């Protein structure tokens, strides 16, 4: 803790002058903290949810050091690009916890999970290098397209969507505390396709877009309308992500607009999260704040995504890979695994994993590397999903150039959170992944048309 306390802003600035070695060092500090947390907290209190623990041997630690070294030295240092902020989010919340937690689940875990973890490292390296090479230049010169021309569009879309959801869920809406989230989530469950898309697009597309424009333009009306959209959605579904999303976006806007360089922000993020881990695990028995942080930050935000790869490998290596037959459309010409024919939970892979591995009736939803990658085709599936994610990020980077500074990065935050906890194809269709590609494409063409005239 003395080391952490000694890291003043001026020292962070010094580190940021040569950031790559320090990113590796701070990443390894975080990896060690995760491992200690696994032993002291996750295993004793959450082993039944998929957190067995065995101390790692030398081969496992060597693998982690090599993987982290390669990826840390490849991270982009521009967080204003969608690919930059999403890849850093996934590095901190998915990549690092997955390496550390997976390799401490059993003796000689590297022999069993090494191929998939190698595929994850290789795929992520390809993603990082490809997005930086082909995602367009780091020059994000603004033409003010989003705020000037599309604030009214997103206002109208938000109000239409909010009105529809108010009509559909008026009788079940309730602003509940942490203890009542599951009951309210069940009450606010969508009953048809229109309600499902209305819920996801209001919370993860329209409200974030209007909040971003409001913050950039310093327009309190847009900010208030966006916050109202988030409040409405939380009162319907009681999803903690929806409640915290505007807080994360506002904080991200403030730090991105601050004088701190992006490498400095990345270093501060890594060491701050490490410090929060240490605080929450050390004082969780005596402090209410520490106890809440251990549950909602340490366990649910970081540890659950990190435990999904080994769990999905256990189930689908035994029952057969899906070859993406769990995806709507592909299921029309690809059969589900024979061993899962007739399974009542198909194609909800999270429920299948929880049922067959944990013997629990819960939804072990996972990031795209586990849900679409491991379940889809094992190590080859991970590489394939990394390639798909890379193509989407390159397109998003290139099409969003010229929009107001911070706008592409801010609207990427909800998408990053979805990819951390959900499948790729769902993020594209239901949470705005494809929407933003078309939006940026048509906005650029409209801008070009006005210049010609």
């Amino acid at each position: 803790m003395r080391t952490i306390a000694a890291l003043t802003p001026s020292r962070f600035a010094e580190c940021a002058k040569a950031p790559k070695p320090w990113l590796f060092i701070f990443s390894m500090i975080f990896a060690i903290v995760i491992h200690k947390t696994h032993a002291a907290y996750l295993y004793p209190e959450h082993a039944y949810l998929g957190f067995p623990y065995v101390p790692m041997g030398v081969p496992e630690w060597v693998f982690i050091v090599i993987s982290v070294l390669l990826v840390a030295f490849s991270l982009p240092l521009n967080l204003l690009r969608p690919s930059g902020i999403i890849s850093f989010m996934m590095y901190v919340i998915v990549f690092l916890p997955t390496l550390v937690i997976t390799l401490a689940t059993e003796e000689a875990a590297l022999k069993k999970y090494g191929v998939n973890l190698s595929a994850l490292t290789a795929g992520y390296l390809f993603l990082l290098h490809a997005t930086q090479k082909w995602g367009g230049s780091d020059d994000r010169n603004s033409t003010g397209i989003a705020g000037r021309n599309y604030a009214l569009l997103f206002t109208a879309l938000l109000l239409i969507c909010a009105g529809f959801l108010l009509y559909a869920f008026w009788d079940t809406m309730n602003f509940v505390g942490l203890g009542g989230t599951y009951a309210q989530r069940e009450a606010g469950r969508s009953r048809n396709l229109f309600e499902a898309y209305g819920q996801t697009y209001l919370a993860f597309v329209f409200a974030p877009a209007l909040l971003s424009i409001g913050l950039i333009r310093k327009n309190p009306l847009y900010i208030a309308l966006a916050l109202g959209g988030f409040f409405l959605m939380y009162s319907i579904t009681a999803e903690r992500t929806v409640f915290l999303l505007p807080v994360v976006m506002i904080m991200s806007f403030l730090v991105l607009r601050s004088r701190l360089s992006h490498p400095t922000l990345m270093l501060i993020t890594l060491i701050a999260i490490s410090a929060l881990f240490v605080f929450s695990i050390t004082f969780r028995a005596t402090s209410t704040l520490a106890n809440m942080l251990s549950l909602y930050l340490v366990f649910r935000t970081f540890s659950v995504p990190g435990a999904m790869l080994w769990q999905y490998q256990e189930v689908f290596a035994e029952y057969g890979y899906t070859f993406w037959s769990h995806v709507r459309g592909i299921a029309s010409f690809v059969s589900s695994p024979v061993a899962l024919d007739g399974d009542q939970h198909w194609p909800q892979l999270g429920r299948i994993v929880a049922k067959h591995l944990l013997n629990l009736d819960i939804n072990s939803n996972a990031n795209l590397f586990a849900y679409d990658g491991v379940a889809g085709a094992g190590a080859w599936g991970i590489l394939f999903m990394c390639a798909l994610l890379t193509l989407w990020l390159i397109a998003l980077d290139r099409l969003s150039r010229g929009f107001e500074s911070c706008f592409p990065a801010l609207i990427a935050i909800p998408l990053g959170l979805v990819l951390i906890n959900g499948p790729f194809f769902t993020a594209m269709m239901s949470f705005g992944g494809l929407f933003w590609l078309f939006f940026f494409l048509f906005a650029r063409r409209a801008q070009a048309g006005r210049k010609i005239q």
Side-chain angles (χ1 to χ4, degrees), residues 57 77 132 157 168 220 260 278 343 404 416 419 428 445:
L77 301 178
Q132 291 176 79
L157 290 172
L260 293 173
V278 172
D343 192 296
E404 287 187 284
L419 290 168
M428 294 300 103
R445 288 188 174 181

Side-chain angles (χ1 to χ4, degrees), residues 32 65 96 140 214 310 322 368 410 420 449:
I32 294 169
V65 169
L96 290 175
R140 312 296 289 182
W310 83 265
T322 69
L368 76 160
L410 290 176
I420 285 165

Side-chain angles (χ1 to χ4, degrees), residues 260-339:
L260 293 173
S261 68
H262 293 184
T264 301
L265 293 174
M266 296 165 74
L267 295 174
I268 291 174
T269 299
L270 285 167
I271 209 66
I273 294 172
S274 299
L276 285 173
F277 266 54
V278 172
F279 167 76
S280 61
I281 300 309
T282 304
F283 299 104
R284 71 185 187 281
T286 57
S287 167
T288 301
L289 174 61
N291 186 52
M292 290 183 64
L293 283 173
S294 65
L295 178 61
Y296 295 108
L297 179 75
V298 174
F299 174 62
R300 294 189 177 176
T301 303
F302 287 87
S303 303
V304 169
M308 289 298 107
L309 186 140
W310 83 265
Q311 293 185 26
Y312 274 67
Q313 178 174 333
E314 287 291 319
V315 172
F316 292 99
E318 177 181 352
Y319 289 90
Y321 299 122
T322 69
F323 297 103
W324 300 283
S325 57
H326 61 276
V327 180
R328 187 177 300 171
I330 297 178
S332 301
F333 51 89
V334 178
S335 300
S336 61
V338 175

Side-chain angles (χ1 to χ4, degrees), residues 193 402 433 440 449:
L193 197 62
F440 286 128

Side-chain angles (χ1 to χ4, degrees), residues 16-322:
K17 293 179 180 178
K20 295 299 178 76
W22 288 104
L23 280 171
F24 166 67
I25 293 170
F26 284 17
S27 295
M28 284 307 305
I29 291 173
F30 184 38
I32 294 169
V33 169
I34 293 172
H35 185 63
K36 296 295 184 182
T37 300
H38 191 175
Y41 169 62
L42 297 175
Y43 174 59
E45 299 192 21
H46 300 290
Y48 72 102
L49 290 172
F51 291 92
Y53 173 78
V54 174
M56 281 192 283
V58 173
E60 284 74 24
W61 277 114
V62 170
F63 182 89
I64 288 173
V65 169
I66 294 173
S67 295
V68 174
L69 179 68
L70 292 171
V71 174
F73 271 78
S74 303
L75 287 171
L77 301 178
N78 183 357
L79 299 180
L80 288 179
R81 294 170 61 169
S83 65
I85 198 162
I86 289 176
S87 61
F88 183 64
M89 289 171 64
M90 300 191 77
Y91 172 72
V92 176
I93 303 177
V94 176
F95 182 80
L96 290 175
T98 295
L99 287 180
V100 178
I101 291 174
T102 302
L103 290 174
T105 54
E106 61 179 72
E107 293 282 355
L110 187 60
K111 293 181 180 179
K112 188 172 187 179
Y113 303 112
V115 173
N116 278 348
L117 291 176
S118 296
L120 177 64
T121 301
Y124 212 68
L125 284 170
F126 170 76
L127 180 151
L128 296 174
H129 287 283
T131 52
Q132 291 176 79
K133 182 176 181 179
W134 295 307
S137 70
D138 283 340
D139 180 17
R140 312 296 289 182
N141 290 329
S142 169
T143 61
I145 298 173
R148 185 182 305 123
N149 301 324
Y150 294 101
L152 294 179
L153 169 65
F154 285 113
T155 300
L157 290 172
L158 183 145
L159 292 175
I160 292 169
C161 198
F164 168 69
L165 293 175
L166 276 170
Y167 173 78
F169 294 97
W170 179 260
D171 293 334
T172 60
M173 288 173 54
N174 187 20
F175 194 83
V176 299
L178 294 175
T181 55
Y182 292 105
Q184 181 58 35
R185 198 170 298 169
E186 188 62 32
R189 187 180 299 276
S190 59
R191 293 156 295 196
N192 55 60
L193 197 62
F194 291 105
E195 291 178 357
Y197 275 92
Q199 289 180 354
T200 56
Y201 268 74
L202 175 61
F204 291 91
V205 181
F206 302 147
L210 196 59
L211 178 61
S212 302
I213 294 172
L215 291 170
I216 293 167
R217 293 287 176 173
K218 300 179 181 178
N219 188 309
L221 177 60
Y222 294 153
I223 294 173
L225 285 173
L227 294 177
F230 287 116
F231 181 88
L232 171 63
M233 268 309 303
Y234 182 81
S235 68
I236 293 173
T237 63
E239 292 185 21
R240 284 177 288 269
T241 302
V242 173
F243 185 79
L244 293 174
L245 181 54
V247 178
V248 173
M249 291 184 66
I250 292 170
M251 291 178 62
S252 299
F253 172 76
L254 293 175
V255 297
L256 288 173
R257 280 292 180 92
S258 70
R259 295 182 179 181
L260 293 173
S261 68
H262 293 184
T264 301
L265 293 174
M266 296 165 74
L267 295 174
I268 291 174
T269 299
L270 285 167
I271 209 66
I273 294 172
S274 299
L276 285 173
F277 266 54
V278 172
F279 167 76
S280 61
I281 300 309
T282 304
F283 299 104
R284 71 185 187 281
T286 57
S287 167
T288 301
L289 174 61
N291 186 52
M292 290 183 64
L293 283 173
S294 65
L295 178 61
Y296 295 108
L297 179 75
V298 174
F299 174 62
R300 294 189 177 176
T301 303
F302 287 87
S303 303
V304 169
M308 289 298 107
L309 186 140
W310 83 265
Q311 293 185 26
Y312 274 67
Q313 178 174 333
E314 287 291 319
V315 172
F316 292 99
E318 177 181 352
Y319 289 90
Y321 299 122
T322 69

